[in-house]
Amino acid sequence: KQGCENMPAACLAARGTCRTWRATCGRGHFIGLGTQALRHCSTDKGSTNSNPKSGIYHAWSACTSAERRQLVVLSVSGAVLNLGFGVIIPALPALSQQLGFGASGVGLLLAVPGLARVLTNLPAGALVDRIGHVPAMVVGELAAAIGVIATAFCDSLMIMLPFRFLGGCGGALAAAGSAAYLAQMTEREHLRPFRGTIVGAQGGMVAAAYVIGPAIGGVLTELYGAQAAWSAVGGLIAACAGAYATLPEVSPIVGTPSSDSRLGVVHLSRKAASEWRVLLKDSNQQALCIGTFAVSLNYAATVTVLPMQAFHTFGVTAGGLGALFSAGSIVGILIGPLAGTLSDRTGRVPLVPASVFACSLGCFGVAFAGQWECFVAAYMLWSVGEAVLAPVLIAYAQDIAPKRNVGSAMALSRQSGDLMFFLAPPLLGILYDACPGQAAMALTAVLTALGGISFRSMA
């Protein structure tokens, strides 16, 4: 059956006595197997963890000293990169005012890297499988650093946009490498039971970076100007490239090119497209794409519609919105690691629909809240749903990624989110302008709930 080519003998021996066999075998296991067989089945994507020990402490104890260093580099670098994104946000209005390109120019500065990621994810995943994780991370981050620093010193929008595109391409390549690196690393037998915990802890660090980043960016911009803030971010990204360069490869590169192999963009894109077509035949990959669409749609609604809803309905100032978003990020710091640990115990699949429906209910509450207290409560519920959903989906993507094409598989999951985050903000904004009020949020809530139903039927 599909997905079972690597099934160990313990699982294969039990197939004949299995009471229920999934027709597509998307998760690669047999229902009714003993816990010992399930524990050793590397393709069991939805099983629970029979190991009673879980949590960050036990995950850390299970790592060797070399693995701890690898995880620290990956986690700190990921947090620093997201810190950099938070730093440049307060600098955007100042840069806009300085160069005179207005709100539409700010929108382009944010949209172009998203477009670059959508166009680059396809070949980036295949390139990671071809050249290795570490080279992809280093080259990608250096390209992103050049893009950010060059943007800081450009004197017109038209010159900035190509460098923003370069930064987006570099970010896509680096993200493909780091995601595949972590997936390969946590595939080791002693770390796989803690995969959700590790991903959740990283999610908590990223949420903390989003709390701190805007404050740092605001101070840097006020004291030294927008160029200083953007240059600082470029320096941080370059430092991450240096940290990645110290990492060893986690596994042999199964896609190492032969003497007649080509690394051209067209060739890599065709190869990746072929791999994606195969991956998308798996119902679990389809479910993952739907889940990623849902969480990215909610992120888009959070940054696009929620500020306008809060302002027009309750007259909330920029300071109030900042406090609201910081509170949501704090929820992510607290909930993310717990969600990862829980997914190690209960499995990923049961948590996804529950967290999706929490997002949907929170979104409905934000849309129809008549009092500020109800609005805040609904947003907190929404934040809880997003804080659970994000790390669980990342761990699920790592669970179902084929070992020979980890880079392509992880790039496919990111493509879903990048595509949605590229398309949803302008579409939701247009809908809000055409129908001010609850329509945009209500549509997001309905689509999110449908996504949860679809995920449960496929995964």
Side-chain angles (χ1 to χ4, degrees):
K1 293 291 184 178
Q2 180 182 356
C4 296
E5 59 271 16
N6 296 320
M7 182 166 286
C11 295
L12 290 173
R15 177 169 59 179
T17 60
C18 177
R19 296 190 302 272
T20 306
W21 166 254
R22 288 189 180 272
T24 61
C25 191
R27 295 185 216 176
H29 72 274
F30 306 92
I31 297 179
L33 290 182
T35 57
Q36 186 67 22
L38 284 178
R39 186 181 304 121
H40 294 289
C41 180
S42 63
T43 54
D44 171 33
K45 311 306 178 189
S47 64
T48 58
N49 178 15
S50 58
N51 185 357
K53 296 181 179 181
S54 60
I56 296 176
Y57 172 78
H58 293 294
W60 186 256
S61 299
C63 297
T64 65
S65 58
E67 289 169 342
R68 290 171 185 171
R69 178 183 171 279
Q70 290 170 270
L71 287 176
V72 167
V73 170
L74 288 174
S75 301
V76 173
S77 296
V80 167
L81 292 172
N82 285 277
L83 175 74
F85 179 78
V87 167
I88 67 172
I89 294 300
L92 286 172
L95 196 63
S96 169
Q97 185 177 14
Q98 179 179 337
L99 299 179
F101 50 70
S104 60
V106 172
L108 283 173
L109 284 178
L110 294 176
V112 167
L115 175 62
R117 288 191 296 269
V118 169
L119 297 177
T120 310
N121 281 333
L122 181 65
L127 187 60
V128 168
D129 290 329
R130 184 69 63 86
I131 68 173
H133 312 83
V134 174
M137 289 189 286
V138 173
V139 173
E141 294 298 359
L142 287 176
I146 292 171
V148 172
I149 294 174
T151 299
F153 294 97
C154 291
D155 57 2
S156 74
L157 181 63
M158 289 299 101
I159 299 176
M160 286 180 177
L161 294 181
F163 287 109
R164 293 293 287 159
F165 190 88
L166 173 64
C169 292
L173 180 58
S178 60
Y181 192 103
L182 183 62
Q184 292 279 19
M185 187 176 174
T186 55
E187 190 63 29
R188 296 168 183 170
E189 185 176 355
H190 63 290
L191 292 182
R192 201 175 193 284
F194 303 103
R195 172 175 278 169
T197 300
I198 292 170
V199 173
Q202 289 186 333
M205 294 179 67
V206 169
Y210 278 121
V211 175
I212 300 171
I216 296 176
V219 172
L220 284 176
T221 302
E222 289 183 0
L223 293 180
Y224 305 106
Q227 283 80 6
W230 283 65
S231 298
V233 171
L236 289 174
I237 295 175
C240 290
Y244 284 148
T246 67
L247 294 174
E249 278 291 350
V250 288
S251 64
I253 306 166
V254 297
T256 301
S258 59
S259 58
D260 61 347
S261 295
R262 292 168 291 167
L263 288 174
V265 174
V266 174
H267 175 69
L268 286 172
S269 297
R270 288 176 178 173
K271 178 180 181 294
S274 175
E275 293 171 351
W276 280 12
R277 283 194 293 269
V278 174
L279 288 169
L280 286 172
K281 293 179 181 178
D282 180 7
S283 62
N284 286 294
Q285 292 287 348
Q286 296 170 11
L288 175 63
C289 288
I290 290 174
T292 308
F293 274 135
V295 71
S296 297
L297 175 63
N298 279 263
Y299 285 150
T302 300
V303 300
T304 304
V305 181
L306 185 142
M308 294 186 292
Q309 187 97 11
F311 175 75
H312 291 145
T313 306
F314 301 104
V316 179
T317 63
L321 281 174
L324 183 66
F325 283 134
S326 294
S329 297
I330 292 172
V331 169
I333 296 172
L334 299 175
I335 299 296
L338 296 177
T341 300
L342 184 61
S343 75
D344 286 333
R345 285 183 167 272
T346 66
R348 328 288 183 206
V349 173
L351 292 179
V352 174
S355 55
V356 168
F357 291 136
C359 290
S360 179
L361 287 174
C363 192
F364 263 122
V366 167
F368 295 100
Q371 297 180 338
W372 174 243
E373 292 77 10
C374 296
F375 186 94
V376 172
Y379 177 67
M380 290 297 104
L381 176 61
W382 196 359
S383 298
V384 169
E386 290 179 345
V388 174
L389 187 57
V392 170
L393 283 176
I394 294 173
Y396 183 64
Q398 295 174 356
D399 289 343
I400 65 176
K403 290 183 177 60
R404 286 189 58 85
N405 305 112
V406 174
S408 292
M410 299 304 294
L412 175 61
S413 66
R414 282 194 315 281
Q415 178 75 341
S416 304
D418 288 339
L419 182 61
M420 176 59 74
F421 203 76
F422 174 66
L423 295 175
L427 294 177
L428 289 174
I430 292 171
L431 178 59
Y432 188 88
D433 288 338
C435 304
Q438 297 89 2
M441 280 296 188
L443 177 62
T444 300
V446 170
L447 293 177
T448 301
L450 291 176
I453 295 171
S454 299
F455 180 94
R456 193 64 189 94
S457 66
M458 292 180 177

